[in-house]
Amino acid sequence: MNTLAARAAVLTEFESPFFVGQIELREPGPGQLVVRTTEAPFCSTDWMGWRGMRRKTPPVVLGHTAVGVVEHLGPGVEGLTPGTRVLVAGTPQCGSCFYCGIGRPDQCSVLLDGSDPVVASLDSGGGRLDVRAAGRVGAYADRMLVERIQVHPLPDELPDSLACLLGCGVSTALGAVFTIADVQPRQSVAVLGLGHLGLWAVQGARLAGAGRIVAIDGHPGRRAIAESLGATDLVDAHRGDPVAAVQALTEGRGADVVIEAAGPALASRQAVLMARRAGTVVLTGVAHSATEVELPQLQLTVHGKKVVGCQNGQITPSVDLPRWTGMLASGELDASPFVTRRYSLDEIDTVVRRSLALDDITGVLVP
C-alpha cells in the first residue's frame, strides 16, 4: 500500500507525553481524501482521550475537528479539488444509514457504530504499529486522512482562526440552543459550566432573545467572559447551592431551559433540578465513558421535564454548518474571547496541561 508522510502528535500511552514525529498515512481509498491541517482546536474531549476516559486505543492521533486544505483525492470523491479550504468535522453525514435516514445524522452509524479507523503507521523501533484517528479525524497532525462525508468547503471570508472553532463548541452549543431546546424570546436560560461550549451557549441564548441568561461556574474569569457575551446573571458554583440560586432568579420556578456543559454527574443532576416543571434540560457533558447519572424520578415524570442528550448539537451538518459559518463570518458570533493561545505541534503536552488547569478557553494547534 502506498503511503504519505505526515508529522503528528501520537498518544502512545495514556497520561504520558505525546510522541511527536513522522507517521505514514495510508493512500486515500474510495471516498477518502488527504487534507493538510492548518489549525485545530484543543478541548476537554481531547484531554479526556489523553487520560483514557473516552474509549480511545493507543497509538492514536487525537483531535476531532480541524481546518485545512485539500491535497489528495481518493477515487470517487466529488465536489472538491486540491487547494480547497475545508472544515473537517467530527460528525460525518453518510446519508445512507438508519440514523441519517430518520433525520438524525448526529447519530450517524459511520461514527458511532464502529471504532476509530486505522489511518497510518508508526515505526516503533521494533516494528510498525497501526495508528488510529480519533473521531475519524486525527487533527493533531500536519496531514489527515478523512472521509468526504465529514468535509465541508469554507468561504474565503472566514479565516482559519475562526473556522477551526466550528466543528466542536460552536456546533454543539448552538445546536443545543436553537435545535434541541428551541429557545424562545424572553425565556430564561441557565448555562451550567462555562468552558468554550458553555460560553458559546451563552451567546446562542442571547441571539435567541432569551430574557434572562444565568451563567454558572466556579471560575471567576469564565463568569466575567460570560457576562461580556450576554449573561444577565452570574452564579458562583462553589458558593452556595446553584440550584437554589437559579430558582431565586426565576421566581422560584427554575429556568425554562437549562444547558449543562460541565461534565460531572453532579452537574447533570443539578441541571435537571434547576429546570422548572415542564422545562427543557440539554445535557452536553460526559465526565467518563462509564459515568452514570442518578436523577430524581419525580422530576422526570410528574414534573414533566424534558431531558435531552446532545451529540454535537444534534446538527445536520449540511444544513447547520453553513448557518453557523455565516454567523461567524458576519461577526454575529463573537469569537474574540475563545482562542487563548496558539501552539506548535511540539507544544502539545503544554496544551494538555493548560487545558486541564483551565488556563485556556481554547488552545489552537498550528501544525
Side-chain angles (χ1 to χ4, degrees):
M1 178 177 291
N2 294 326
T3 59
L4 180 68
R7 190 167 186 269
V10 183
L11 177 67
T12 56
E13 295 183 39
F14 294 126
E15 297 190 86
S16 297
F18 286 80
F19 163 81
V20 179
Q22 183 170 304
I23 60 174
E24 299 294 330
L25 287 181
R26 294 184 170 187
E27 187 79 10
Q32 295 182 322
L33 60 150
V34 173
V35 175
R36 177 174 55 80
T37 313
T38 53
E39 300 203 23
F42 190 95
C43 88
S44 58
T45 297
D46 302 303
W47 64 250
M48 287 179 181
W50 176 78
R51 280 187 158 179
M53 300 166 69
R54 300 305 293 269
R55 296 181 178 175
K56 300 303 174 187
T57 303
V60 59
V61 180
L62 300 179
H64 53 282
T65 187
V67 167
V69 177
V70 174
E71 280 196 340
H72 305 282
L73 301 176
V77 173
E78 299 179 350
L80 296 171
T81 57
T84 304
R85 290 178 63 246
V86 293
L87 169 72
V88 181
T91 297
Q93 184 178 357
C94 76
S96 59
C97 73
F98 171 83
Y99 294 98
C100 286
I102 63 170
R104 288 295 303 273
D106 64 294
Q107 298 296 311
C108 181
S109 293
V110 171
L111 176 66
L112 295 177
D113 286 352
S115 59
D116 291 332
V118 174
V119 297
S121 64
L122 167 68
D123 186 352
S124 67
R128 299 202 72 84
L129 301 174
D130 286 341
V131 178
R132 298 181 180 272
R136 310 188 71 85
V137 178
Y140 304 148
D142 63 6
R143 287 187 173 94
M144 301 169 282
L145 175 62
V146 295
E147 305 282 339
R148 173 65 180 91
I149 57 176
Q150 62 194 106
V151 173
H152 307 269
L154 289 168
D156 293 338
E157 65 269 20
L158 187 65
D160 292 351
S161 58
L162 300 184
C164 74
L165 305 174
L166 277 165
C168 181
V170 173
S171 54
T172 302
L174 297 190
V177 170
F178 291 103
T179 303
I180 302 174
D182 189 22
V183 173
Q184 298 297 304
R186 296 182 297 281
Q187 280 191 318
S188 57
V189 177
V191 179
L192 179 55
L194 300 175
H196 72 131
L197 198 160
L199 291 171
W200 285 117
V202 167
Q203 281 206 76
R206 174 178 57 80
L207 292 171
R212 171 157 254 153
I213 304 170
V214 185
I216 307 152
D217 199 289
H219 192 293
R222 302 283 175 95
R223 294 197 302 274
I225 294 171
E227 185 174 31
S228 74
L229 295 173
T232 59
D233 302 274
L234 307 176
V235 173
D236 185 346
H238 294 165
R239 298 185 64 182
D241 179 4
V243 174
V246 170
Q247 291 170 339
L249 290 166
T250 54
E251 300 178 354
R253 290 189 301 271
D256 298 314
V257 172
V258 181
I259 297 174
E260 177 277 320
L266 175 60
S268 296
R269 179 181 174 86
Q270 288 175 331
V272 172
L273 292 174
M274 65 178 58
R276 64 160 168 81
R277 294 197 303 274
T280 298
V281 181
V282 183
L283 303 178
T284 76
V286 178
H288 191 287
S289 58
T291 296
E292 295 187 1
V293 178
E294 183 177 305
L295 299 174
Q297 193 176 48
L298 186 71
Q299 301 277 330
L300 305 179
T301 54
V302 175
H303 290 179
K305 298 184 181 184
K306 181 181 179 182
V307 182
V308 190
C310 178
Q311 199 296 103
N312 202 18
Q314 290 188 13
I315 69 167
T316 299
S318 60
V319 174
D320 293 318
L321 285 174
R323 180 184 179 189
W324 312 146
T325 298
M327 292 170 74
L328 270 176
S330 69
E332 190 176 3
L333 284 170
D334 179 10
S336 59
F338 286 87
V339 177
T340 313
R341 281 178 56 181
R342 284 181 171 75
Y343 302 88
S344 70
L345 205 57
D346 293 295
E347 297 177 288
I348 190 166
D349 294 319
T350 301
V351 182
V352 175
R353 290 194 299 271
R354 285 181 56 85
S355 182
L356 278 164
L358 304 182
D359 292 332
D360 286 339
I361 301 294
T362 306
V364 172
L365 285 155
V366 185

